[in-house]
């Protein structure tokens, strides 16, 4: 796969996931191997990746995920209440499709990371940047590797509203933070991603300061 295409056309996959196609464990293991090559804080590699395939565990996580979503949106699904055909409605429809079908996704992956630096007063921003800067490069590598092998996923974080319940369910020690949840499945046959519309570089990049000239 062309590198520039891979980097610009790897998209979040929800409705494009094939929930009935088998997932090859060796494929996913190779994708994880690629993911774990990513840079991480001080090369501590203080991560633990949980691959959930058990149907009962997936169903319980899906319940918690749905509870968390309804908490965020006020207790009801919204896509059917929105104007048809708008980008916002399409995104909401895709999001809520995953809410309703997460238990059917054949594999869920939760990357966890254990902070390795002692906390000091006033370091919240530093702590967050170090923590997530040590896990999301590997998550992105994993997503790219999945795309090259015909799989898809998306980064989700809703389950973190029920983080303690998920940790108890899966036996995650309290010293570890859950980075996100990745639903993994093969992409539907014939589906191909394309680069998304993005704002031009000169609208979002400034030189030498927040109000500086476009770069």
């Amino acid at each position: 796969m062309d590198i520039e295409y891979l980097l610009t056309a790897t998209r979040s996959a929800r409705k494009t996931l094939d929930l009935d196609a088998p997932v090859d464990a060796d494929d996913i293991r190779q994708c994880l191997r690629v993911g774990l090559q990513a840079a991480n804080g001080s090369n501590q590699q203080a991560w633990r990746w949980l691959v959930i395939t058990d149907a009962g565990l997936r169903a319980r996580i899906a319940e918690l995920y749905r509870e968390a979503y309804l908490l965020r949106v006020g207790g009801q699904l919204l896509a059917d209440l929105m104007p048809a055909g708008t980008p916002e409605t399409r995104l909401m429809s895709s999001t809520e499709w995953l809410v309703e079908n997460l238990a059917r996704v054949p594999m869920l992956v939760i990357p966890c990371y254990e902070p390795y630096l002692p906390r000091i007063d006033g370091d919240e921003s530093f702590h967050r940047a170090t923590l997530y800067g040590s896990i999301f490069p590997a998550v992105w590598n994993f997503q790219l590797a999945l795309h090259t092998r015909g799989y898809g996923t998306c980064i989700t974080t809703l389950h973190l509203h029920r983080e303690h319940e998920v940790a108890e369910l899966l036996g995650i020690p309290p010293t570890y933070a859950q980075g996100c949840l990745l639903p993994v499945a093969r992409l539907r046959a014939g589906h191909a991603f394309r680069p998304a519309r993005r704002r031009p570089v000169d609208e979002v990049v400034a030189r030498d300061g927040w109000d500086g000239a476009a770069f």
Side-chain angles (χ1 to χ4, degrees):
M1 186 178 289
D2 176 78
I3 294 296
E4 186 165 334
Y5 170 80
L6 177 65
L7 293 174
T8 59
T10 298
R11 306 258 67 83
S12 293
R14 298 181 185 89
K15 287 185 175 181
T16 52
L17 298 176
D18 187 339
L19 303 182
D20 298 316
V23 171
D24 187 294
D26 286 337
D27 284 345
I28 306 307
R29 191 175 293 109
Q30 289 303 313
C31 292
L32 288 166
R33 180 186 59 78
V34 172
L36 297 179
Q37 287 292 319
N40 59 97
S42 299
N43 196 31
Q44 290 292 306
Q45 303 179 58
W47 42 37
R48 181 79 165 176
W49 293 64
L50 304 183
V51 178
I52 298 102
T53 58
D54 178 82
L57 292 175
R58 288 187 287 116
R60 179 55 183 148
I61 292 170
E63 289 176 4
L64 295 168
Y65 188 90
R66 192 175 194 278
E67 289 176 10
Y69 181 76
L70 293 176
L71 174 68
R72 294 291 302 182
V73 298
Q76 63 178 333
L77 300 179
L78 300 178
D80 291 341
L81 305 177
M82 299 173 67
T86 68
E88 294 77 14
T89 301
R90 287 194 292 272
L91 177 59
M92 185 64 71
S93 175
S94 177
T95 297
E96 294 189 344
W97 181 90
L98 186 61
V99 170
E100 296 293 86
N101 289 279
L102 186 64
R104 297 180 57 210
V105 178
M107 179 179 289
L108 307 178
V109 176
I110 300 179
C112 304
Y113 203 83
E114 185 175 40
Y116 60 92
L117 294 172
R119 297 296 302 273
I120 61 175
D121 290 342
D123 76 340
E124 188 60 35
S125 294
F126 172 83
H127 175 74
R128 287 198 306 269
T130 301
L131 171 63
Y132 294 111
S134 293
I135 194 65
F136 278 102
V139 168
W140 181 234
N141 268 19
F142 179 56
Q143 290 182 274
L144 294 173
L146 286 172
H147 189 184
T148 66
R149 291 164 173 80
Y151 294 87
T153 189
C154 63
I155 294 174
T156 70
T157 54
L158 275 170
H159 82 290
L160 295 175
H161 285 292
R162 296 289 184 267
E163 180 178 12
H164 297 302
E165 291 93 328
V166 173
E168 183 176 357
L169 179 70
L170 301 176
I172 300 172
T175 56
Y176 279 78
Q178 300 171 51
C180 60
L181 185 151
L182 300 152
V184 175
R186 288 191 182 274
L187 293 169
R188 290 183 178 175
H191 178 78
F193 288 121
R194 61 180 183 274
R197 293 181 181 178
R198 291 290 188 259
R199 293 169 62 186
V201 170
D202 59 6
E203 285 187 11
V204 298
V205 181
R207 185 192 298 269
D208 296 332
W210 188 268
D211 295 320
F215 180 73

